[in-house]
Amino acid sequence: DQRKALNYLIQSTTSDIVMENAYKVMKKLSQCDSFLAFTMHDSIVLDFSKKDHDMVRELKSIFETNQFGKFLSNVNIGKNFGSMRKLKI
């Protein structure tokens, strides 16, 4: 039905945007100690080195910017995936 068709378009487009931008972030990190660990739904998870801390704003901007404009995203930080806290940027 029409509702499911619209939902499919939104979800598949979002997935495409996340994958495209995850690749851009991965390329940006290619010469760094930090790296893209995995994706989860509409998120990317980085294994991030303290040495690369000055790149956080730029990586956030890369992830948010796409062919439709700029979407807002959140950044969380922590020593493991289960104990992350929001980072205000």
Side-chain angles (χ1 to χ4, degrees):
D1 66 26
Q2 191 173 9
R3 183 183 64 82
K4 287 182 181 177
L6 180 61
N7 188 41
Y8 172 78
L9 288 173
I10 292 169
Q11 286 184 2
S12 63
T13 301
T14 301
S15 177
D16 290 346
I17 291 169
V18 168
M19 289 300 134
E20 287 173 11
N21 290 351
Y23 180 72
K24 290 175 189 175
V25 168
M26 187 176 72
K27 278 181 41 178
K28 183 69 178 176
L29 292 172
S30 65
Q31 302 299 315
C32 301
D33 290 343
S34 302
F35 58 92
L36 177 70
F38 57 93
T39 63
M40 183 184 298
H41 302 290
D42 60 353
S43 303
I44 60 173
V45 178
L46 306 177
D47 190 329
F48 211 76
S49 170
K50 287 182 181 180
K51 290 191 322 187
D52 300 325
H53 76 278
D54 58 332
M55 297 178 68
V56 173
R57 286 183 199 277
E58 182 181 5
L59 294 172
K60 182 178 186 288
S61 180
I62 290 169
F63 185 70
E64 291 178 332
T65 306
N66 62 76
Q67 62 186 343
F68 300 109
K70 194 162 188 151
F71 295 144
L72 296 177
S73 66
N74 299 313
V75 176
N76 295 318
I77 188 169
K79 290 196 181 261
N80 62 57
F81 193 70
S83 64
M84 296 178 44
R85 67 190 191 315
K86 195 170 194 171
L87 184 65
K88 291 186 180 182
I89 297 179

